[in-house]
């Protein structure tokens, strides 16, 4: 199954005999504490208008555990995640489509978690809600019937800090953050700037075109090949906290390249003073 779906194909599937479960995971990385602005409210955005039938899922509450030593968005409690998915109508034998406001990061996080916990038929709406030209409904939607999905972790590869460090030397570890954060020029969130020694800079923003849709698979494959994805070595990805990194894993999947996600990412790595930090444009 392709990892993404166009808005046109989604409309067709929704009108079919086995329509997918729709999950709305609108979310933004909030700098509200630093700027004094109110944080983004995904639930309010969902209530204001969403694809008919879509159920809202909260990334911070449902797709991540409490922030701490394991990072800003560590893995959620599996039992809680399963309960949220069932409440949203998710079952193993029914396809799922996830979307967000258009950036794709939050939708990719839900996509990755569902894959990691064993769901075999989940896709991301390419371009997010912005790509949807059909009608919308307002108010908060509940699933028509509770699903039966039981998460079984481990269906796709997961990296911890030690695994990421090893992969940076033995394979290819991609850093999905902006290049200036990779270099250590700026660090607006975490304790220290820089990157995992040996990691290669690969901003996830370069995987999409201006409207947020993914570049064609052949372009993505060429990009990742130029970064060192040879087709024989293992590939891993990290970002700031395991959200934009999931989007990079999704882009790799579109290109036909399996990749592991280091969920703790830089927020976990940089919180431990014993972990080495590289700076500058080169992997080192």
């Amino acid at each position: 199954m392709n990892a993404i779906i166009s808005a046109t194909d989604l409309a067709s599937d929704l009108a079919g005999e086995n329509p997918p479960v729709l999950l709305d995971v609108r979310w933004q990385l909030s700098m509200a504490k630093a700027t004094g602005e109110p944080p983004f409210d995904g639930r309010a955005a969902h209530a204001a208008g969403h694809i008919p039938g879509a159920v809202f899922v909260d990334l911070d509450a449902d797709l991540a555990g409490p922030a701490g030593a394991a990072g800003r968005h560590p893995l959620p409690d599996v039992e809680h995640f399963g309960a949220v998915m069932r409440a949203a109508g998710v079952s193993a034998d029914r396809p799922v489509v996830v979307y967000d406001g258009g950036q794709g990061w939050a939708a990719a996080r839900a996509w990755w978690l569902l894959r990691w916990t064993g769901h075999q038929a989940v896709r991301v709406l390419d371009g997010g809600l912005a790509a949807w030209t059909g009608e919308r409904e307002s108010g908060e939607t509940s699933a028509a019937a509770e699903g039966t999905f039981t998460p079984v972790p481990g269906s796709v590869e997961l990296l911890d800090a030690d695994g990421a460090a090893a992969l940076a030397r033995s394979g290819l570890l991609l850093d999905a953050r902006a290049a200036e954060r990779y270099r250590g020029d700026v660090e607006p969130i975490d304790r220290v700037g820089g990157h995992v020694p040996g990691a290669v800079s690969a901003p996830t923003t370069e995987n999409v075109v201006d409207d947020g849709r993914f570049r064609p698979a052949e372009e993505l494959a060429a990009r990742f090949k130029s970064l060192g994805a040879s087709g024989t070595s293992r590939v891993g990805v990290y970002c700031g906290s395991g959200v934009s990194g999931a989007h990079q894993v999704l882009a790799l999947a579109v290109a036909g390249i399996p990749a592991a996600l280091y969920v703790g990412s830089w927020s976990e790595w940089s919180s431990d003073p014993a972990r080495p930090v590289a700076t500058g444009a080169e992997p080192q």
Side-chain angles (χ1 to χ4, degrees):
M1 171 175 282
N2 197 342
I4 58 176
I5 183 172
S6 70
T8 300
D9 286 346
L10 174 59
S12 177
D13 284 2
L14 288 172
E17 295 183 355
N18 187 32
V21 172
L22 276 178
L23 303 180
D24 179 339
V25 197
R26 272 177 278 180
W27 171 88
Q28 290 179 12
L29 179 62
S30 177
M31 300 297 290
K33 290 182 179 179
T35 63
E37 298 175 4
F40 175 77
D41 188 339
R43 191 175 296 277
H46 170 84
H50 54 268
I51 299 174
V55 176
F56 179 72
V57 176
D58 188 310
L59 185 147
D60 289 315
D62 302 325
L63 305 182
R72 285 192 306 280
H73 292 105
L75 290 172
D77 175 80
V78 172
E79 293 302 319
H80 173 76
F81 174 71
V84 169
M85 291 298 102
R86 289 190 293 274
V90 175
S91 296
D93 60 353
R94 186 177 174 189
V96 177
V97 172
V98 190
Y99 73 87
D100 56 24
Q103 187 179 40
W105 294 4
R109 171 73 176 215
W111 167 85
W112 183 86
L113 276 169
L114 280 164
R115 291 179 69 242
W116 179 66
T117 52
H119 203 290
Q120 299 298 311
V122 54
R123 291 172 289 177
V124 169
L125 175 58
D126 195 16
L129 184 62
W132 178 257
T133 59
E135 65 180 62
R136 301 185 187 187
E137 65 181 6
S138 58
E140 188 156 347
T141 299
S142 298
E146 183 160 321
T148 59
F149 179 65
T150 300
V152 180
S155 293
V156 295
E157 190 177 6
L158 171 69
L159 293 173
D160 60 11
D162 290 340
L167 186 57
R169 300 303 184 188
S170 65
L172 177 65
L173 181 66
L174 299 176
D175 184 320
R177 298 172 301 158
E180 59 269 25
R181 291 185 69 192
Y182 171 89
R183 293 191 302 265
D185 299 345
V186 297
E187 183 43 65
I189 307 173
D190 294 313
R191 184 184 66 85
V192 63
H195 57 269
V196 176
V200 174
S201 180
T204 196
T205 52
E206 296 179 16
N207 294 324
V208 297
V209 295
D210 290 344
D211 64 4
R213 288 181 296 170
F214 281 103
R215 297 184 185 279
E218 58 272 17
E219 286 187 23
L220 290 172
R223 181 194 184 213
F224 292 123
K225 182 178 180 180
S226 73
L227 292 169
S230 64
T232 58
S233 60
R234 290 171 60 222
V235 179
V237 179
Y238 75 95
C239 57
S241 65
V243 180
S244 67
H247 190 265
Q248 186 97 292
V249 173
L250 175 58
L252 284 154
V254 172
I257 303 169
L261 179 64
Y262 171 27
V263 171
S265 286
W266 190 247
S267 59
E268 178 187 36
W269 184 279
S270 64
S271 69
D272 183 353
R275 294 276 178 195
V277 172
T279 56
E282 298 302 319
Q284 301 177 40

